[in-house]
Amino acid sequence: MRVIFCCTDTKAQPWLDGLRAALPGATVELWQPDAVLADYAVVWSPPQQFFDEQTALKGIFNIGAGVDALMKLLLPAGVPVIRLDDAGMSVQMAEYVCHAVIRHFREFNGYEADTAAGKWSYRKPRVRQDFPVGVMGLGVLGQRVCRALQQFEFPVWGWSRSEKSIDGVRCFSGEAGLADFLAATRVLVCLLPLTPVTENILRRENLQRLQPGAYVINVARGGHLVDADLIALIDSGHLAGATLDVFRQEPLPPAHPFWRHPKITITPHTSARTLRTESIVQIAQKIQALHTGVAISAIAGVVQPGKGY
Ligand code: NAP
Ligand code: GLV
């Protein structure tokens, strides 16, 4: 069995070493143009040339949860694309989102400013029931985030494409459920995949449906958010602010207004990192399973071509 690794922005050697150790019978190689044809590919944002050349693949493993970069390429027909299924990401996402929600709810930015000014001042406690958190996307990460938020007793709403029933979460679904979901939400968390349907979903028309004083947390993809609409709605006072981890252009260009906006907190696409050890274990187990004839329907994280996630 041959495995080929082609990941931009990733140090290859530790992945090659890890995959070789996890798949002792396999040949694991770094892609270079005109490489020998492989059975399985482990990729992140590969060039189109990779798929043009690798014409014998039986499975494509993405070393992230989001496959939006892959979906822009011309992929070999009928070859399954398998994304990371948690692999240690969901607990990181739960930490990040709870931190952002609590930082906003408890006004820690304000306390930090007071401390810096040598001021000992209390703020009136806020009422938790006034801060329902709406999670867009109830997949692997969204559901884990809902569970974590429930531990802090925030009311939690969720929105997904198909109908869901999740203990303690008021679930909305589809286009028809979006307006009610947004109207009931004070803190919005975006955990959707980026697809042609969800692109620009965080635009004025939708953001202005949120409760007055709402707060936006985008941890999915920069392409979900219309940057100028967010800034206009914060500056008009409809939105209280935002925490953003993902951007249309990464790294965020130095001149972008998000860097300096006093009500926007940014982080460099770090809310849930790919953990190499966990990911290698997961990918190696799935490669072994496919190679020994396990049905693709029994493998978690297979991307549905029609849906794009
Ligand atoms: P997932 O398990 O595939 O879940 C996706 C969820 O979004 C599902 O609940 C799905 O609904 C819902 N959805 C998709 N299209 C929709 C639509 N048109 N309308 C309403 N709901 C829709 O994905 P995941 O593993 O949770 O990851 C989610 C995303 O997080 C990834 O795609 C990636 O972009 C992002 N991410 C970011 C980071 C970071 O560090 N910032 C790290 C990891 C992942 P159904 O349940 O009905 O299918
Ligand atoms: C990171 O953004 C991922 O999709 O895993």
Side-chain angles (χ1 to χ4, degrees):
M1 179 207 319
R2 297 190 88 90
V3 177
I4 196 150
F5 181 85
C6 181
C7 299
T8 48
D9 298 334
T10 310
K11 244 196 221 159
Q13 198 56 49
W15 281 89
L16 295 171
D17 294 344
L19 285 164
R20 284 174 186 144
L23 293 165
T27 303
V28 181
E29 279 166 338
L30 182 63
W31 178 73
Q32 52 198 354
D34 299 321
V36 176
L37 296 185
D39 302 295
Y40 300 99
V42 178
V43 301
W44 180 257
S45 273
Q48 180 61 50
Q49 187 188 357
F50 174 79
F51 291 115
D52 293 345
E53 290 185 8
Q54 286 294 318
T55 53
L57 294 173
K58 297 178 197 136
I60 300 164
F61 290 85
N62 186 56
I63 65 162
V67 290
D68 42 293
L70 265 188
M71 293 295 124
K72 288 187 192 136
L73 302 176
L74 192 61
L75 299 176
V79 179
V81 174
I82 300 118
R83 64 188 193 82
L84 285 184
D85 175 44
D86 196 331
M89 275 194 275
S90 73
V91 67
Q92 297 177 67
M93 197 53 97
E95 267 162 19
Y96 184 100
V97 171
C98 287
H99 176 267
V101 171
I102 291 167
R103 192 174 174 83
H104 172 61
F105 173 63
R106 295 293 302 268
E107 301 184 85
F108 285 133
N109 282 353
Y111 281 113
E112 276 171 14
D114 290 350
T115 307
K119 229 164 90 184
W120 180 275
S121 66
Y122 294 107
R123 282 151 204 269
K124 199 168 160 235
R126 290 165 143 188
V127 178
R128 202 170 300 267
Q129 293 308 312
D130 292 343
F131 283 78
V133 184
V135 179
M136 301 180 102
L138 294 173
V140 176
L141 303 184
Q143 291 204 27
R144 181 69 182 80
V145 164
C146 289
R147 281 215 313 281
L149 288 165
Q150 286 175 315
Q151 291 298 309
F152 294 103
E153 299 178 20
F154 288 102
V156 181
W157 319 147
W159 182 68
S160 55
R161 182 157 127 146
S162 57
E163 265 182 47
K164 300 240 181 305
S165 164
I166 302 171
D167 250 10
V169 177
R170 189 172 157 209
C171 292
F172 301 79
S173 64
E175 204 40 44
L178 182 59
D180 287 347
F181 164 78
L182 294 169
T185 292
R186 176 80 178 263
V187 180
L188 182 70
V189 178
C190 180
L191 265 169
L192 292 166
L194 183 63
T195 67
V197 181
T198 64
E199 191 169 7
N200 298 327
I201 195 163
L202 303 179
R203 58 180 178 272
R204 176 182 287 274
E205 173 200 346
N206 287 330
L207 294 177
Q208 66 193 8
R209 291 200 161 109
L210 294 167
Q211 294 185 351
Y215 193 82
V216 174
I217 299 170
N218 187 18
V219 277
R221 285 291 183 263
H224 288 121
L225 177 67
V226 178
D227 299 1
D229 289 357
L230 176 79
I231 290 177
L233 286 167
I234 293 176
D235 292 348
S236 75
H238 180 64
L239 297 179
T243 292
L244 307 174
D245 183 50
V246 286
F247 306 93
R248 283 178 184 267
Q249 191 182 335
E250 296 180 1
L252 186 65
H256 197 290
F258 286 165
W259 281 106
R260 280 165 297 280
H261 198 291
K263 294 186 174 164
I264 296 178
T265 300
I266 62 167
T267 50
H269 199 145
T270 197
S271 52
R273 305 287 294 269
T274 292
L275 302 178
R276 191 171 56 235
T277 306
E278 286 84 340
S279 304
I280 286 173
V281 168
Q282 183 175 109
I283 290 169
Q285 278 172 355
K286 290 180 183 177
I287 289 178
Q288 292 284 20
L290 284 183
H291 208 62
T292 52
V294 169
I296 191 70
S297 55
I299 308 271
V302 178
V303 174
Q304 306 297 310
K307 292 188 191 163
Y309 67 94

